[in-house]
Amino acid sequence: MVSRVKIRELSDVTGVTVATLKYYLREGLLHGGAATAVNQADYDESHVRRVRLVRALLQLGRLSIADAQLVLAAVDDDSIAIHDAFAVAQDAMVPARDRSGPQYAAALDEVVAFVRRHRLQVRPDAHVLEMLADAVVTMDDLGFSDALGTPRLASFDGLLEMALPIAEFEVASTRDDITRAEQMEYTVIGTITFEVAYAALRRMALEHASAIRFGSRRKPRRTD
Amino acid sequence: MVSRVKIRELSDVTGVTVATLKYYLREGLLHGGAATAVNQADYDESHVRRVRLVRALLQLGRLSIADAQLVLAAVDDDSIAIHDAFAVAQDAMVPARDRSGPQYAAALDEVVAFVRRHRLQVRPDAHVLEMLADAVVTMDDLGFSDALGTPRLASFDGLLEMALPIAEFEVASTRDDITRAEQMEYTVIGTITFEVAYAALRRMALEHASAIRFGSRRKPRRTD
């Protein structure tokens, strides 16, 4: 537990340089410490935690500063109901990009139909729909769907069926004995960390499957 | 099908600006067209396809220029066996970052033990191990594992069990009647697009589960 330390020690504890901490302060990503003198302030456990959250958003989640500010505002604003704050945070976690053109519009229609068919309680204007449409456009561009020899929507059905019980378990595991801000933090961190973790596990599975099909076909090493 | 077009038309077909195409050419991400006069060249279907692949790497995959160059070199170099090329591409798809310090080393040890325990044929120095360790460090930093009330490794076991059959199916679906370069392209695009697609589907599942737990509990709209 950290109580009332200088910025130098906050840097030591979090592994984030003093220059970067000052940048976080200037950008409003980190709340100020308790002023003790001109240009002197004390920081506490809340700052340690926030620095780690900011780092997770920027590095692991690769959010822009502007999007990280949106997420943190939703975490901090007690007047926003938790489910609405969740929506703000989810939207900010989808990178902005040019999504004009008929090809993108068709992909988005396909995604909207998918959401309806599964009767998902997802906002019709949720940015995550655009994220899935991005993937669909790229699959179409490169003829990937055909190559896989299976209808794309069938594989999306299968992936969603896997994701739903995990999401339900994850949301159900949210503890009730923590503050709203902590609940929001967990939601954001859970979204980002499990996304990276699952992507990594899937890539490991791909390398394993590729080794078996294209590699030297050596036996896996025994681990005893 | 596009045959022998000017850069202006290549831009129209792909939706990538001429300035960006010239940038791709300068960076070696796109091979030159057939020269027809000073500062004039013709482009063909191979250029259309490559532009789309580059855009997928940079935008959807969010790779750096340097990492995209590595991936494309592995796609293009016929002298690299396909499984080795796959490894180069996979490594380039993991973002570089500072991974010093004892906390990270401990997380990496945990990941290596996980790979051994599952007897995965994943290279011991594969960058994807670092990617999973990144997620583990952030989970530890923010006390996420405890909050979820379930051991982290147990959830990783479950996620890997889901990923393995999908990866096997995906790798098994790689057609034999296409060129090595095409096989590599599919591998790279498959990794990126399905990763984004699955992440989007998981986020939809989270929003759905959150709506049921924290939202207005309205019935999903009927779709008939």
Side-chain angles (χ1 to χ4, degrees):
Chain A
M1 195 56 92
V2 172
S3 61
R4 304 187 67 77
V5 299
K6 301 297 172 202
I7 197 164
R8 178 76 257 164
E9 295 158 275
L10 182 62
S11 166
D12 290 343
V13 170
T14 58
V16 172
T17 64
V18 170
T20 301
L21 289 175
K22 288 183 173 170
Y23 176 66
Y24 288 177
L25 285 164
R26 276 199 307 279
E27 294 291 332
L29 297 168
L30 178 64
H31 48 297
T36 52
V38 177
N39 285 328
Q40 282 274 17
D42 281 347
Y43 298 89
D44 60 28
E45 192 62 32
S46 73
H47 296 89
V48 172
R49 197 162 174 86
R50 178 53 53 102
V51 168
R52 288 173 171 160
L53 179 60
V54 170
R55 189 172 48 187
L57 292 173
L58 299 183
Q59 290 198 1
L60 200 64
R62 299 167 86 183
L63 267 68
S64 68
I65 297 289
D67 285 337
Q69 287 167 337
L70 280 177
V71 171
L72 294 172
V75 168
D76 291 335
D77 186 348
D78 284 340
S79 74
I80 307 178
I82 196 152
H83 181 60
D84 298 329
F86 175 85
V88 173
Q90 289 289 329
D91 283 351
M93 284 190 275
V94 175
R97 71 173 49 126
D98 177 30
R99 294 185 173 97
S100 53
Q103 194 194 6
Y104 176 76
L108 191 59
D109 284 347
E110 184 179 323
V111 169
V112 169
F114 175 86
V115 168
R116 284 226 183 97
R117 186 157 53 78
H118 284 278
R119 300 185 184 179
L120 290 178
Q121 294 200 32
V122 172
R123 292 158 295 133
D125 58 346
H127 292 196
V128 69
L129 304 183
E130 301 171 3
M131 184 175 167
L132 186 54
D134 288 341
V136 167
V137 167
T138 303
M139 287 174 181
D140 282 348
D141 261 359
L142 289 145
F144 192 77
S145 324
D146 306 340
L148 204 63
T150 181
R152 174 172 57 221
L153 285 183
S155 43
F156 285 1
D157 287 346
L159 290 173
L160 181 69
E161 290 310 315
M162 295 195 319
L164 275 170
I166 303 174
E168 273 160 36
F169 173 75
E170 219 177 296
V171 170
S173 313
T174 313
R175 284 160 41 172
D176 286 324
D177 60 341
I178 55 178
T179 66
R180 177 195 168 287
E182 283 170 333
Q183 281 192 0
M184 277 299 298
E185 263 187 38
Y186 284 135
T187 298
V188 170
I189 292 303
T191 300
I192 291 176
T193 56
F194 273 95
E195 196 157 296
V196 171
Y198 182 75
L201 291 166
R202 178 174 169 274
R203 291 187 190 186
M204 287 180 189
L206 280 173
E207 179 157 339
H208 179 76
S210 170
I212 289 169
R213 172 155 182 192
F214 298 112
S216 55
R217 287 165 196 273
R218 64 182 161 73
K219 291 262 187 221
R221 192 157 38 137
R222 306 285 302 193
T223 55
D224 39 16
Chain B
M1 193 58 94
V2 173
S3 61
R4 303 188 67 75
V5 300
K6 301 296 173 203
I7 197 164
R8 177 76 257 161
E9 294 157 277
L10 181 62
S11 165
D12 290 343
V13 171
T14 58
V16 172
T17 65
V18 171
T20 302
L21 291 175
K22 287 184 173 169
Y23 176 66
Y24 289 178
L25 285 163
R26 277 200 306 278
E27 294 291 333
L29 295 168
L30 179 64
H31 49 297
T36 52
V38 176
N39 284 329
Q40 281 272 17
D42 281 348
Y43 299 89
D44 60 26
E45 192 61 32
S46 72
H47 296 89
V48 173
R49 200 166 171 83
R50 176 55 52 103
V51 168
R52 288 174 172 160
L53 179 60
V54 170
R55 189 174 46 186
L57 292 173
L58 300 183
Q59 290 197 3
L60 201 65
R62 301 168 87 182
L63 267 68
S64 68
I65 298 288
D67 284 337
Q69 287 168 337
L70 280 177
V71 171
L72 294 171
V75 168
D76 291 334
D77 185 349
D78 284 341
S79 74
I80 307 178
I82 195 152
H83 181 60
D84 298 331
F86 175 85
V88 172
Q90 288 289 329
D91 283 351
M93 283 190 276
V94 175
R97 72 174 48 127
D98 177 30
R99 293 185 173 98
S100 52
Q103 195 194 5
Y104 177 76
L108 191 58
D109 284 348
E110 184 180 323
V111 170
V112 169
F114 175 85
V115 168
R116 286 228 181 96
R117 185 157 54 81
H118 284 279
R119 300 186 186 180
L120 290 178
Q121 294 200 32
V122 171
R123 293 157 296 132
D125 59 345
H127 291 196
V128 69
L129 304 185
E130 299 170 4
M131 185 175 167
L132 187 54
D134 288 341
V136 167
V137 166
T138 303
M139 287 174 182
D140 282 349
D141 261 359
L142 289 144
F144 191 77
S145 323
D146 306 339
L148 204 63
T150 181
R152 175 171 57 222
L153 285 182
S155 44
F156 284 1
D157 286 347
L159 291 172
L160 181 69
E161 290 310 316
M162 296 194 320
L164 275 170
I166 303 173
E168 272 161 36
F169 173 75
E170 219 178 294
V171 169
S173 312
T174 313
R175 284 160 42 173
D176 287 323
D177 60 341
I178 55 178
T179 64
R180 176 195 170 287
E182 283 170 334
Q183 281 193 1
M184 277 299 298
E185 263 186 36
Y186 284 134
T187 298
V188 169
I189 293 302
T191 300
I192 290 175
T193 56
F194 273 94
E195 196 157 297
V196 171
Y198 182 76
L201 291 166
R202 178 174 169 275
R203 290 186 192 186
M204 287 179 189
L206 279 173
E207 178 156 340
H208 179 76
S210 169
I212 289 169
R213 173 155 182 190
F214 297 111
S216 56
R217 287 166 196 270
R218 66 182 159 72
K219 292 261 187 222
R221 192 157 38 137
R222 305 284 303 191
T223 56
D224 39 18

Coordinates of all heavy atoms in Angstrom, one line a residue, chain B residues 96-125:
Chain B
A96 N 6.0 -4.5 -30.5 CA 7.1 -4.4 -29.6 C 6.8 -3.4 -28.4 O 6.0 -2.5 -28.6 CB 8.3 -3.8 -30.4
R97 N 7.3 -3.7 -27.3 CA 7.2 -2.7 -26.2 C 8.2 -3.1 -25.1 O 8.9 -4.1 -25.2 CB 5.8 -2.8 -25.6 CG 5.4 -4.0 -24.8 CD 4.0 -3.8 -24.2 NE 3.1 -3.2 -25.2 CZ 1.9 -3.8 -25.4 NH1 1.5 -4.9 -24.8 NH2 1.0 -3.3 -26.3
D98 N 8.4 -2.2 -24.1 CA 9.3 -2.5 -23.1 C 8.8 -3.6 -22.2 O 7.7 -3.6 -21.7 CB 9.5 -1.2 -22.2 CG 10.4 -1.5 -21.0 OD1 11.3 -2.3 -21.2 OD2 10.2 -0.8 -20.0
R99 N 9.7 -4.7 -22.1 CA 9.2 -5.9 -21.4 C 10.3 -6.2 -20.4 O 10.7 -7.4 -20.2 CB 8.9 -7.1 -22.3 CG 7.7 -6.8 -23.2 CD 7.3 -8.0 -24.0 NE 6.1 -7.9 -24.7 CZ 6.0 -7.5 -26.0 NH1 7.0 -7.2 -26.7 NH2 4.8 -7.3 -26.5
S100 N 10.9 -5.2 -19.7 CA 12.0 -5.5 -18.7 C 11.3 -5.6 -17.3 O 10.1 -5.3 -17.2 CB 13.0 -4.4 -18.7 OG 12.3 -3.1 -18.6
G101 N 12.1 -6.0 -16.4 CA 11.6 -6.0 -15.0 C 11.1 -7.4 -14.5 O 10.8 -8.3 -15.3
P102 N 11.2 -7.6 -13.2 CA 10.9 -8.9 -12.7 C 9.5 -9.4 -12.8 O 9.2 -10.6 -13.0 CB 11.3 -8.8 -11.2 CG 11.2 -7.3 -10.9 CD 11.6 -6.6 -12.2
Q103 N 8.5 -8.4 -12.8 CA 7.1 -8.8 -12.9 C 6.8 -9.4 -14.2 O 6.2 -10.4 -14.3 CB 6.3 -7.5 -12.7 CG 4.8 -7.8 -12.4 CD 3.9 -6.6 -12.6 OE1 4.4 -5.5 -13.0 NE2 2.7 -6.8 -12.3
Y104 N 7.4 -8.8 -15.3 CA 7.2 -9.4 -16.6 C 7.9 -10.7 -16.7 O 7.3 -11.7 -17.3 CB 7.8 -8.4 -17.7 CG 7.6 -9.0 -19.0 CD1 6.4 -9.0 -19.6 CD2 8.7 -9.6 -19.6 CE1 6.2 -9.6 -20.9 CE2 8.6 -10.2 -20.8 CZ 7.3 -10.2 -21.5 OH 7.2 -10.8 -22.7
A105 N 9.1 -10.9 -16.2 CA 9.8 -12.2 -16.2 C 9.0 -13.3 -15.6 O 8.9 -14.4 -16.1 CB 11.2 -12.0 -15.6
A106 N 8.3 -13.0 -14.4 CA 7.5 -14.0 -13.7 C 6.3 -14.4 -14.6 O 5.9 -15.5 -14.7 CB 7.1 -13.4 -12.4
A107 N 5.7 -13.4 -15.2 CA 4.5 -13.6 -16.1 C 5.0 -14.5 -17.3 O 4.2 -15.5 -17.6 CB 3.9 -12.3 -16.6
L108 N 6.1 -14.2 -17.8 CA 6.6 -15.0 -19.0 C 6.8 -16.5 -18.5 O 6.5 -17.4 -19.3 CB 7.8 -14.4 -19.6 CG 8.3 -15.0 -20.9 CD1 7.2 -14.8 -22.0 CD2 9.6 -14.3 -21.4
D109 N 7.4 -16.7 -17.3 CA 7.6 -18.0 -16.8 C 6.3 -18.8 -16.7 O 6.2 -19.9 -17.0 CB 8.3 -18.0 -15.4 CG 9.7 -17.6 -15.5 OD1 10.3 -17.7 -16.6 OD2 10.3 -17.3 -14.4
E110 N 5.3 -18.1 -16.2 CA 4.0 -18.7 -16.1 C 3.4 -19.1 -17.5 O 2.9 -20.2 -17.6 CB 3.0 -17.6 -15.5 CG 1.6 -18.2 -15.2 CD 0.7 -17.1 -14.5 OE1 1.3 -16.3 -13.7 OE2 -0.5 -17.0 -14.8
V111 N 3.6 -18.3 -18.5 CA 3.2 -18.6 -19.8 C 3.9 -19.8 -20.4 O 3.3 -20.7 -21.0 CB 3.3 -17.3 -20.7 CG1 3.1 -17.7 -22.2 CG2 2.3 -16.2 -20.3
V112 N 5.2 -19.8 -20.2 CA 6.0 -20.9 -20.7 C 5.6 -22.2 -20.1 O 5.5 -23.2 -20.8 CB 7.6 -20.6 -20.5 CG1 8.4 -21.9 -20.7 CG2 8.0 -19.5 -21.3
A113 N 5.3 -22.2 -18.8 CA 4.8 -23.4 -18.1 C 3.5 -23.8 -18.7 O 3.2 -25.0 -18.8 CB 4.7 -23.1 -16.6
F114 N 2.6 -22.9 -19.0 CA 1.3 -23.1 -19.6 C 1.5 -23.9 -20.9 O 0.8 -24.9 -21.2 CB 0.6 -21.8 -19.7 CG -0.7 -21.9 -20.4 CD1 -1.9 -22.2 -19.7 CD2 -0.8 -21.7 -21.8 CE1 -3.1 -22.3 -20.4 CE2 -2.1 -21.8 -22.4 CZ -3.2 -22.1 -21.7
V115 N 2.4 -23.3 -21.7 CA 2.6 -23.9 -23.1 C 3.2 -25.4 -22.9 O 2.7 -26.3 -23.6 CB 3.6 -23.1 -23.9 CG1 4.1 -23.8 -25.1 CG2 3.0 -21.7 -24.2
R116 N 4.1 -25.6 -22.0 CA 4.6 -26.9 -21.7 C 3.6 -27.9 -21.3 O 3.5 -29.0 -21.8 CB 5.7 -26.9 -20.6 CG 7.0 -26.2 -21.1 CD 8.2 -27.1 -20.6 NE 9.4 -26.5 -21.1 CZ 10.1 -25.7 -20.3 NH1 9.8 -25.5 -19.0 NH2 11.2 -25.1 -20.8
R117 N 2.7 -27.4 -20.3 CA 1.7 -28.3 -19.8 C 0.7 -28.7 -20.8 O 0.3 -29.9 -20.8 CB 1.0 -27.5 -18.6 CG 0.0 -28.3 -17.9 CD -0.2 -27.7 -16.5 NE -0.6 -26.3 -16.6 CZ -1.9 -25.9 -16.9 NH1 -2.8 -26.7 -17.1 NH2 -2.1 -24.6 -16.9
H118 N 0.4 -27.8 -21.8 CA -0.5 -28.2 -22.9 C 0.2 -28.9 -24.0 O -0.4 -29.2 -25.0 CB -1.3 -27.0 -23.3 CG -2.3 -26.6 -22.4 ND1 -3.6 -27.2 -22.4 CD2 -2.4 -25.6 -21.4 CE1 -4.3 -26.6 -21.4 NE2 -3.6 -25.7 -20.8
R119 N 1.5 -29.1 -23.9 CA 2.3 -29.7 -25.0 C 2.1 -29.0 -26.3 O 1.9 -29.7 -27.4 CB 2.0 -31.2 -25.1 CG 2.4 -31.8 -23.8 CD 2.3 -33.3 -23.8 NE 2.5 -33.9 -22.5 CZ 2.4 -35.2 -22.2 NH1 2.2 -36.0 -23.2 NH2 2.6 -35.6 -21.0
L120 N 2.0 -27.7 -26.3 CA 1.8 -27.0 -27.6 C 3.1 -26.9 -28.3 O 4.2 -26.6 -27.8 CB 1.3 -25.5 -27.3 CG -0.1 -25.4 -26.7 CD1 -0.4 -23.9 -26.4 CD2 -1.1 -26.0 -27.7
Q121 N 3.0 -27.1 -29.7 CA 4.1 -26.9 -30.5 C 4.3 -25.5 -30.9 O 4.0 -25.1 -32.0 CB 4.0 -27.8 -31.8 CG 4.1 -29.3 -31.4 CD 4.4 -30.1 -32.6 OE1 5.2 -29.7 -33.5 NE2 3.9 -31.4 -32.7
V122 N 4.7 -24.7 -29.9 CA 4.9 -23.2 -30.1 C 6.4 -23.0 -29.8 O 6.9 -23.5 -28.8 CB 4.0 -22.4 -29.2 CG1 4.4 -21.0 -29.2 CG2 2.5 -22.6 -29.5
R123 N 7.1 -22.3 -30.6 CA 8.5 -22.0 -30.4 C 8.7 -21.4 -29.1 O 8.0 -20.5 -28.7 CB 9.0 -21.1 -31.5 CG 9.1 -21.6 -32.9 CD 9.1 -20.5 -33.9 NE 7.8 -19.8 -33.9 CZ 7.7 -18.4 -33.9 NH1 8.8 -17.7 -33.9 NH2 6.6 -17.8 -33.8
P124 N 9.8 -21.8 -28.4 CA 10.0 -21.2 -27.0 C 10.3 -19.7 -27.0 O 10.1 -19.1 -26.0 CB 11.3 -22.0 -26.5 CG 11.6 -23.0 -27.5 CD 10.8 -22.8 -28.7
D125 N 10.7 -19.2 -28.2 CA 11.0 -17.8 -28.3 C 9.9 -17.0 -29.1 O 10.2 -15.9 -29.6 CB 12.4 -17.5 -28.9 CG 12.5 -18.1 -30.3 OD1 11.7 -19.0 -30.6 OD2 13.5 -17.8 -31.0

